[in-house]
Amino acid sequence: MSKSVIITGVTGQIGSGFARFLLNEGHEVHGIIRRTSSFNTSRIDDVFSHPKLKLHYGDMTDGSVSNLICDLKPDYFINQAAMSHVAVSFDNPEYCFDVNATGVIRCLEAIRRHSKHTRVLQASTSELYGDHVAPQNELTPFKPRSPYAVSKLAALASVVNYREAYNIFAANSITFNTEGPARGATFLTRKVTLAAARISLGLQKELRLGNLCSKRSWTHYEDQLDGQWLVLNADEPDDYCIGLEESHSIQEFVEIVFSKLNLDWKEFVICDPRYFRPTEVDHLEPDCTKIRSKLGWKPKHTFQQLVDEMVKHDLDLARKEKILLDNK
């Protein structure tokens, strides 16, 4: 049966993946995009003209999304919108909180008042755990160490509160780092794979990074999408950690990427204090026992497959860039 779905952040990595998946399943997708003076829909270009995709201008910082909820009364509300860059959140904490926390409350309140049948998925983050010892699971205490993490904790707690107070199907997916070729170029993994590819072709000379010792669990975006869809369609709403149950240091990630391009990372990577955060998070790695046992989730991609896919994608991009430069 066809369902109506609102996806915020539809032009992002996971949001666009959800749109593609849901359209293929025959659902009606209403995607929220922010109005800008330049095109920002490249991730959904392949489904842009799909008859069941409706795009709406909106922003989590005003009433546009909550108004749309009131009008459409969707079967599903998937919130992928966020000011999600941890480092930038230190520079602009007020905007970060307005988008990530207050914006979520606006939407929950609209659902409470006008569309209580709507199933809600809030995309949360492993950054909530801060420097608690890994692995972390749903019972691990939260200790946010950035404005981004603080705002996402407020959103997670709001979802739990609305679920318990108003009997709304509202669930949190506590997602560990989600990666893939569609990851934004300012985020660490794409920053590394893009730089390594460009360096290998002589298009770039160096790569500047911050703390190389931090460890993260990097998970393929398709596996995160699968997990979040299971959470949204569970018998009962609940909160679940989702991620690959292994972690690697940033230095290890850099070493692997550069070695795949026959480069010695030490010749090109500079550790720059400017890229250190005021408060660092050393080690994030999930214990996904709950979602594996209750919902049957398991990842389909290994860490090595993820790296291979990203390196190949960005090497292809770098080659196209070089051809254009050579033909000028």
Side-chain angles (χ1 to χ4, degrees):
M1 182 180 296
S2 178
K3 303 286 188 179
S4 62
V5 188
I6 292 178
I7 304 175
T8 65
V10 74
T11 59
Q13 178 183 215
I14 291 285
S16 60
F18 254 122
R20 199 170 293 108
F21 166 74
L22 292 167
L23 291 170
N24 286 338
E25 293 292 311
H27 301 301
E28 181 178 272
V29 174
H30 295 266
I32 310 298
I33 59 175
R34 285 178 297 162
R35 177 73 179 94
T36 66
S37 59
S38 58
F39 291 109
N40 62 349
T41 58
S42 60
R43 291 191 182 98
I44 55 172
D45 279 349
D46 58 323
V47 293
F48 196 85
S49 300
H50 196 288
K52 287 197 170 185
L53 175 64
K54 314 295 181 184
L55 298 178
H56 309 262
Y57 287 123
D59 197 296
M60 296 294 284
T61 62
D62 57 35
S64 54
V65 179
S66 55
N67 287 340
L68 187 64
I69 291 170
C70 297
D71 292 341
L72 295 178
K73 298 178 175 57
D75 297 296
Y76 295 112
F77 176 73
I78 301 173
N79 183 37
Q80 299 291 337
M83 204 306 290
S84 58
H85 202 289
V86 176
V88 174
S89 75
F90 284 98
D91 298 325
N92 203 342
E94 293 180 28
Y95 175 73
C96 179
F97 204 92
D98 197 19
V99 173
N100 296 353
T102 308
V104 171
I105 292 176
R106 290 186 183 100
C107 297
L108 288 170
E109 189 64 7
I111 288 167
R112 179 184 77 83
R113 288 176 175 272
H114 302 283
S115 189
K116 287 189 70 173
H117 73 283
T118 299
R119 287 185 169 227
V120 178
L121 177 73
Q122 164 65 14
S124 194
T125 172
S126 59
E127 289 285 333
L128 300 179
Y129 295 117
D131 58 2
H132 274 292
V133 176
Q136 297 96 3
N137 61 30
E138 296 82 4
L139 300 178
T140 303
F142 297 128
K143 189 180 178 182
R145 290 175 62 80
S146 67
Y148 168 71
V150 171
S151 67
K152 294 293 276 188
L153 178 54
L156 179 141
S158 298
V159 167
V160 173
N161 180 247
Y162 272 75
R163 177 171 75 215
E164 295 178 351
Y166 305 116
N167 196 31
I168 293 170
F169 190 106
N172 291 290
S173 63
I174 305 174
T175 58
F176 286 65
N177 289 59
T178 305
E179 314 298 335
R183 183 66 147 150
T186 61
F187 290 88
L188 178 90
T189 52
R190 281 298 306 288
K191 187 176 179 180
V192 171
T193 55
L194 277 167
R198 298 185 80 250
I199 288 170
S200 72
L201 296 176
L203 298 170
Q204 185 171 329
K205 293 182 178 180
E206 64 182 33
L207 169 63
R208 292 181 175 267
L209 297 173
N211 184 2
L212 298 179
C213 297
S214 293
K215 293 183 177 180
R216 293 291 187 270
S217 165
W218 287 297
T219 307
H220 197 285
Y221 79 97
E222 290 180 355
D223 292 327
Q224 286 284 7
L225 193 157
D226 289 345
Q228 291 181 41
W229 185 239
L230 288 172
V231 171
L232 189 55
N233 287 280
D235 292 336
E236 299 292 335
D238 207 343
D239 308 324
Y240 294 88
C241 289
I242 310 175
L244 203 62
E245 292 176 290
E246 63 181 79
S247 59
H248 304 267
S249 70
I250 293 173
Q251 179 173 317
E252 183 182 355
F253 181 83
V254 171
E255 289 176 353
I256 292 171
V257 169
F258 275 73
S259 67
K260 289 183 180 296
L261 297 168
N262 298 314
L263 298 171
D264 181 355
W265 71 276
K266 295 178 182 177
E267 296 180 12
F268 306 99
V269 177
I270 298 172
C271 189
D272 191 332
R274 290 180 299 173
Y275 293 100
F276 281 74
R277 301 171 185 170
T279 46
E280 290 285 340
V281 174
D282 295 327
H283 189 185
L284 296 174
E285 180 181 328
D287 168 10
C288 295
T289 300
K290 183 176 178 179
I291 192 170
R292 284 191 285 104
S293 61
K294 286 195 170 185
L295 303 183
W297 176 83
K298 61 180 181 179
K300 300 182 179 69
H301 302 82
T302 66
F303 172 71
Q304 289 294 340
Q305 288 172 332
L306 170 65
V307 176
D308 286 341
E309 184 177 339
M310 294 181 69
V311 170
K312 180 181 182 302
H313 177 271
D314 288 339
L315 186 58
D316 288 343
L317 283 182
R319 284 170 174 159
K320 292 175 183 176
E321 180 185 356
K322 184 172 175 56
I323 289 172
L324 289 175
L325 288 172
D326 290 345
N327 289 335
K328 277 189 175 181

